[in-house]
Amino acid sequence: MNKRRDWIAILDFGSQYTRLIARRVRECGVYSEILPYNIDSRKLLSKKPQAVILSGGPASVAARRSPMCDRDIFRSGLPVLGICYGAQLMAGVLGGKVARAGAREYGKTTLLLKSADTLFKGLAPKETVWMSHGDKITRLPAGFEIIGSTANAGIAAMGDRKKRLYGLQFHPEVAHTPKGKRILKNFLFGAAGCRGGWNMHSFVKSSIRMLKEKIGSEKALCALSGGVDSSVLALLLHKAIGKNLRAVFIDNGLLRKDEAALVKKRFKDYCRINLKVVDAQDAFLKGLKGVKDPEAKRKIIGRLFIEAFEKEAKKSGRIKFLAQGTLYPDVIESSSPLGGPSATIKTHHNVGGLPENLKFELIEPLKDLFKDEVRLAGKELGLVDDIVYRQPFPGPGLAVRVLGAINKERLDILRQADWILIDEIKRAKLYRKLWQSFCVLLPVKTVGVMGDKRTYDNVAAIRAVTSTDAMTAQWAKLPYRLLERVSSRIINEVKGINRVVYDISSKPPSTIEWE
């Protein structure tokens, strides 16, 4: 863990909101890290957190083999805040009682405050909160008092001020609890005594210092794609090690229209970064020929990337480090975070596709950041808005947007369709309001009529979503006239497409990318 003045440990019991807790804490100016719920208390204390937050989770405390944290955490002297399942766990471990609720409480409800001290300082006697639970605390542990209740939960909030242990049956981290951030701030700066100071200025400053210390006089390779993640990574490394950075742009033939020329202009000519552009289109298309499985695509792309880097490394002399722009959501979706109960959704080429015999020492300076934090870091580094606010683009590129088998013809068709979509979205001034917007080429063909002639061509799907961190996303309600223009232009301007459809599924249950 990075050396910081104070930080909060968040133990993950599998809640869909665990990452949101981490983001809210950081927004309050305090660094946070998600750790496995069963971490040994001695190991946790050795990291010297300022406090511990227990997340919610889908399990029942009353069930056999339910997730259990080390009991010594409650005797460590650290302030602890339990949220939903975390509050029930705290109650059960410390001698209280948890029972199945007569009716599951879900949604907005009114919290009646019994105390305006500590957690609820500055709040009104009644506040709106968001509930999502099937169990409830029916008896307080010794030393605790009720500090909040609702119509359906007599013990909606409890606290032991002396030991600085608190439990909330509701979720303060979600937007549906309007004063939730105030409650978290009261815990962080009141009960836990945090000093704050975590922001992107401090992150950039400390990251440059740590990169200088770690890399020293060695050289590092950086995978530069032109997206915000790799751009921030490249500039961060450039400021840390200067000429010892070997930024490599691999033109793998899976990129957006005119991407290679744009990256070269921005970073080699403007930012003066030591950049090498490598044309590897033939190698990637050959390696992906006939491959339809999306996981296989990712692993092949990851392997070919590493092979390309190793080849460049030999040309550049001895290179010890490989830097990647892996983000927190990448790690979370690729594997259970640090042993936590969250399920694997998919691998990313920059997380799950690396060979076991990697010849470089991997460094991932951005792996603890969410996308919005990376954008703030980019602003701090002086990147132009056109890069900072660029929509996310998957590491495997168009390989996971051309569904099924890949070839140059299908990639070119998708490239042109995608360019039209983004052009129209920018004209409508909606680009920065969307988290992602892109086209997908489906592995099916449909009958159409063009110029009084029968056609049998490809189908393109439009995907546009709104989100804050990519952990959840809502399909965007794009104006019908905009969709009409996009469809008309794609069908008329892109040879090979005769039908356009719009994806109206949200995440979950769907993912943002189709593969």
Side-chain angles (χ1 to χ4, degrees), residues 74-93:
F74 299 111
R75 296 189 282 265
S76 66
L78 287 175
V80 181
L81 173 64
I83 297 175
C84 198
Y85 179 87
Q88 296 163 3
L89 178 64
M90 179 185 291
V93 168

PDB file of all heavy atoms in Angstrom, residues 74-93:
ATOM      1  N   PHE A  74     -12.716  -5.932  16.226  1.00  0.00           N
ATOM      2  CA  PHE A  74     -13.589  -5.153  17.119  1.00  0.00           C
ATOM      3  C   PHE A  74     -12.922  -4.841  18.455  1.00  0.00           C
ATOM      4  O   PHE A  74     -13.390  -3.984  19.196  1.00  0.00           O
ATOM      5  CB  PHE A  74     -14.902  -5.900  17.354  1.00  0.00           C
ATOM      6  CG  PHE A  74     -15.692  -6.139  16.100  1.00  0.00           C
ATOM      7  CD1 PHE A  74     -15.844  -7.425  15.591  1.00  0.00           C
ATOM      8  CD2 PHE A  74     -16.276  -5.091  15.415  1.00  0.00           C
ATOM      9  CE1 PHE A  74     -16.566  -7.659  14.431  1.00  0.00           C
ATOM     10  CE2 PHE A  74     -16.999  -5.306  14.250  1.00  0.00           C
ATOM     11  CZ  PHE A  74     -17.142  -6.598  13.764  1.00  0.00           C
ATOM     12  N   ARG A  75     -11.825  -5.557  18.751  1.00  0.00           N
ATOM     13  CA  ARG A  75     -11.100  -5.326  20.004  1.00  0.00           C
ATOM     14  C   ARG A  75      -9.777  -4.601  19.765  1.00  0.00           C
ATOM     15  O   ARG A  75      -8.965  -4.474  20.675  1.00  0.00           O
ATOM     16  CB  ARG A  75     -10.845  -6.661  20.709  1.00  0.00           C
ATOM     17  CG  ARG A  75     -12.113  -7.380  21.137  1.00  0.00           C
ATOM     18  CD  ARG A  75     -11.801  -8.583  22.012  1.00  0.00           C
ATOM     19  NE  ARG A  75     -11.352  -9.722  21.218  1.00  0.00           N
ATOM     20  CZ  ARG A  75     -12.142 -10.699  20.797  1.00  0.00           C
ATOM     21  NH1 ARG A  75     -13.438 -10.675  21.068  1.00  0.00           N
ATOM     22  NH2 ARG A  75     -11.668 -11.711  20.093  1.00  0.00           N
ATOM     23  N   SER A  76      -9.571  -4.163  18.527  1.00  0.00           N
ATOM     24  CA  SER A  76      -8.294  -3.549  18.164  1.00  0.00           C
ATOM     25  C   SER A  76      -8.160  -2.101  18.623  1.00  0.00           C
ATOM     26  O   SER A  76      -7.066  -1.555  18.642  1.00  0.00           O
ATOM     27  CB  SER A  76      -8.122  -3.597  16.639  1.00  0.00           C
ATOM     28  OG  SER A  76      -9.103  -2.771  16.012  1.00  0.00           O
ATOM     29  N   GLY A  77      -9.282  -1.482  18.949  1.00  0.00           N
ATOM     30  CA  GLY A  77      -9.261  -0.068  19.307  1.00  0.00           C
ATOM     31  C   GLY A  77      -9.502   0.834  18.118  1.00  0.00           C
ATOM     32  O   GLY A  77      -9.659   2.049  18.275  1.00  0.00           O
ATOM     33  N   LEU A  78      -9.549   0.242  16.921  1.00  0.00           N
ATOM     34  CA  LEU A  78      -9.827   1.038  15.722  1.00  0.00           C
ATOM     35  C   LEU A  78     -11.314   1.358  15.642  1.00  0.00           C
ATOM     36  O   LEU A  78     -12.155   0.524  15.990  1.00  0.00           O
ATOM     37  CB  LEU A  78      -9.425   0.273  14.463  1.00  0.00           C
ATOM     38  CG  LEU A  78      -7.939   0.110  14.155  1.00  0.00           C
ATOM     39  CD1 LEU A  78      -7.771  -0.787  12.930  1.00  0.00           C
ATOM     40  CD2 LEU A  78      -7.297   1.459  13.915  1.00  0.00           C
ATOM     41  N   PRO A  79     -11.671   2.527  15.151  1.00  0.00           N
ATOM     42  CA  PRO A  79     -13.080   2.821  14.887  1.00  0.00           C
ATOM     43  C   PRO A  79     -13.575   1.889  13.774  1.00  0.00           C
ATOM     44  O   PRO A  79     -12.852   1.646  12.800  1.00  0.00           O
ATOM     45  CB  PRO A  79     -13.078   4.273  14.421  1.00  0.00           C
ATOM     46  CG  PRO A  79     -11.774   4.833  14.901  1.00  0.00           C
ATOM     47  CD  PRO A  79     -10.809   3.688  14.869  1.00  0.00           C
ATOM     48  N   VAL A  80     -14.781   1.373  13.930  1.00  0.00           N
ATOM     49  CA  VAL A  80     -15.344   0.471  12.933  1.00  0.00           C
ATOM     50  C   VAL A  80     -16.762   0.932  12.593  1.00  0.00           C
ATOM     51  O   VAL A  80     -17.561   1.209  13.496  1.00  0.00           O
ATOM     52  CB  VAL A  80     -15.385  -0.987  13.423  1.00  0.00           C
ATOM     53  CG1 VAL A  80     -15.967  -1.900  12.339  1.00  0.00           C
ATOM     54  CG2 VAL A  80     -13.997  -1.471  13.824  1.00  0.00           C
ATOM     55  N   LEU A  81     -17.053   0.998  11.287  1.00  0.00           N
ATOM     56  CA  LEU A  81     -18.393   1.311  10.816  1.00  0.00           C
ATOM     57  C   LEU A  81     -18.905   0.134  10.008  1.00  0.00           C
ATOM     58  O   LEU A  81     -18.322  -0.234   8.995  1.00  0.00           O
ATOM     59  CB  LEU A  81     -18.384   2.569   9.930  1.00  0.00           C
ATOM     60  CG  LEU A  81     -19.706   2.916   9.233  1.00  0.00           C
ATOM     61  CD1 LEU A  81     -20.782   3.253  10.265  1.00  0.00           C
ATOM     62  CD2 LEU A  81     -19.523   4.064   8.240  1.00  0.00           C
ATOM     63  N   GLY A  82     -19.995  -0.480  10.470  1.00  0.00           N
ATOM     64  CA  GLY A  82     -20.608  -1.584   9.752  1.00  0.00           C
ATOM     65  C   GLY A  82     -21.803  -1.082   8.962  1.00  0.00           C
ATOM     66  O   GLY A  82     -22.636  -0.350   9.501  1.00  0.00           O
ATOM     67  N   ILE A  83     -21.892  -1.474   7.695  1.00  0.00           N
ATOM     68  CA  ILE A  83     -22.983  -1.043   6.833  1.00  0.00           C
ATOM     69  C   ILE A  83     -23.804  -2.254   6.408  1.00  0.00           C
ATOM     70  O   ILE A  83     -23.264  -3.200   5.834  1.00  0.00           O
ATOM     71  CB  ILE A  83     -22.448  -0.303   5.591  1.00  0.00           C
ATOM     72  CG1 ILE A  83     -21.722   0.987   6.009  1.00  0.00           C
ATOM     73  CG2 ILE A  83     -23.580   0.013   4.617  1.00  0.00           C
ATOM     74  CD1 ILE A  83     -21.055   1.720   4.860  1.00  0.00           C
ATOM     75  N   CYS A  84     -25.092  -2.243   6.707  1.00  0.00           N
ATOM     76  CA  CYS A  84     -26.022  -3.317   6.342  1.00  0.00           C
ATOM     77  C   CYS A  84     -25.522  -4.659   6.890  1.00  0.00           C
ATOM     78  O   CYS A  84     -25.547  -4.881   8.085  1.00  0.00           O
ATOM     79  CB  CYS A  84     -26.237  -3.346   4.834  1.00  0.00           C
ATOM     80  SG  CYS A  84     -27.717  -4.257   4.339  1.00  0.00           S
ATOM     81  N   TYR A  85     -25.049  -5.580   6.044  1.00  0.00           N
ATOM     82  CA  TYR A  85     -24.533  -6.855   6.542  1.00  0.00           C
ATOM     83  C   TYR A  85     -23.429  -6.614   7.561  1.00  0.00           C
ATOM     84  O   TYR A  85     -23.334  -7.329   8.566  1.00  0.00           O
ATOM     85  CB  TYR A  85     -23.993  -7.702   5.388  1.00  0.00           C
ATOM     86  CG  TYR A  85     -23.414  -9.028   5.835  1.00  0.00           C
ATOM     87  CD1 TYR A  85     -24.215 -10.147   5.972  1.00  0.00           C
ATOM     88  CD2 TYR A  85     -22.055  -9.144   6.130  1.00  0.00           C
ATOM     89  CE1 TYR A  85     -23.685 -11.367   6.399  1.00  0.00           C
ATOM     90  CE2 TYR A  85     -21.512 -10.344   6.558  1.00  0.00           C
ATOM     91  CZ  TYR A  85     -22.334 -11.461   6.690  1.00  0.00           C
ATOM     92  OH  TYR A  85     -21.803 -12.659   7.121  1.00  0.00           O
ATOM     93  N   GLY A  86     -22.593  -5.597   7.320  1.00  0.00           N
ATOM     94  CA  GLY A  86     -21.507  -5.289   8.261  1.00  0.00           C
ATOM     95  C   GLY A  86     -22.035  -4.906   9.630  1.00  0.00           C
ATOM     96  O   GLY A  86     -21.440  -5.257  10.661  1.00  0.00           O
ATOM     97  N   ALA A  87     -23.172  -4.182   9.677  1.00  0.00           N
ATOM     98  CA  ALA A  87     -23.782  -3.809  10.956  1.00  0.00           C
ATOM     99  C   ALA A  87     -24.351  -5.035  11.649  1.00  0.00           C
ATOM    100  O   ALA A  87     -24.209  -5.209  12.870  1.00  0.00           O
ATOM    101  CB  ALA A  87     -24.877  -2.773  10.728  1.00  0.00           C
ATOM    102  N   GLN A  88     -25.001  -5.909  10.889  1.00  0.00           N
ATOM    103  CA  GLN A  88     -25.568  -7.125  11.457  1.00  0.00           C
ATOM    104  C   GLN A  88     -24.470  -8.049  11.981  1.00  0.00           C
ATOM    105  O   GLN A  88     -24.614  -8.667  13.045  1.00  0.00           O
ATOM    106  CB  GLN A  88     -26.410  -7.827  10.395  1.00  0.00           C
ATOM    107  CG  GLN A  88     -27.617  -7.020   9.938  1.00  0.00           C
ATOM    108  CD  GLN A  88     -28.203  -7.506   8.634  1.00  0.00           C
ATOM    109  OE1 GLN A  88     -27.747  -8.511   8.074  1.00  0.00           O
ATOM    110  NE2 GLN A  88     -29.198  -6.794   8.122  1.00  0.00           N
ATOM    111  N   LEU A  89     -23.375  -8.134  11.230  1.00  0.00           N
ATOM    112  CA  LEU A  89     -22.239  -8.942  11.663  1.00  0.00           C
ATOM    113  C   LEU A  89     -21.671  -8.405  12.970  1.00  0.00           C
ATOM    114  O   LEU A  89     -21.379  -9.166  13.902  1.00  0.00           O
ATOM    115  CB  LEU A  89     -21.168  -8.954  10.581  1.00  0.00           C
ATOM    116  CG  LEU A  89     -19.880  -9.729  10.905  1.00  0.00           C
ATOM    117  CD1 LEU A  89     -20.188 -11.207  11.069  1.00  0.00           C
ATOM    118  CD2 LEU A  89     -18.843  -9.516   9.815  1.00  0.00           C
ATOM    119  N   MET A  90     -21.507  -7.087  13.043  1.00  0.00           N
ATOM    120  CA  MET A  90     -21.003  -6.457  14.254  1.00  0.00           C
ATOM    121  C   MET A  90     -21.902  -6.791  15.448  1.00  0.00           C
ATOM    122  O   MET A  90     -21.420  -7.165  16.520  1.00  0.00           O
ATOM    123  CB  MET A  90     -20.930  -4.943  14.069  1.00  0.00           C
ATOM    124  CG  MET A  90     -20.449  -4.167  15.283  1.00  0.00           C
ATOM    125  SD  MET A  90     -20.533  -2.371  15.040  1.00  0.00           S
ATOM    126  CE  MET A  90     -19.250  -2.131  13.809  1.00  0.00           C
ATOM    127  N   ALA A  91     -23.209  -6.680  15.240  1.00  0.00           N
ATOM    128  CA  ALA A  91     -24.152  -6.972  16.321  1.00  0.00           C
ATOM    129  C   ALA A  91     -24.048  -8.426  16.765  1.00  0.00           C
ATOM    130  O   ALA A  91     -23.989  -8.731  17.964  1.00  0.00           O
ATOM    131  CB  ALA A  91     -25.578  -6.655  15.871  1.00  0.00           C
ATOM    132  N   GLY A  92     -24.017  -9.345  15.791  1.00  0.00           N
ATOM    133  CA  GLY A  92     -23.957 -10.763  16.125  1.00  0.00           C
ATOM    134  C   GLY A  92     -22.678 -11.162  16.828  1.00  0.00           C
ATOM    135  O   GLY A  92     -22.704 -11.902  17.825  1.00  0.00           O
ATOM    136  N   VAL A  93     -21.551 -10.671  16.363  1.00  0.00           N
ATOM    137  CA  VAL A  93     -20.254 -11.021  16.950  1.00  0.00           C
ATOM    138  C   VAL A  93     -20.116 -10.489  18.379  1.00  0.00           C
ATOM    139  O   VAL A  93     -19.536 -11.140  19.251  1.00  0.00           O
ATOM    140  CB  VAL A  93     -19.106 -10.487  16.064  1.00  0.00           C
ATOM    141  CG1 VAL A  93     -17.764 -10.575  16.799  1.00  0.00           C
ATOM    142  CG2 VAL A  93     -19.036 -11.246  14.758  1.00  0.00           C
TER     143      VAL A  93
END
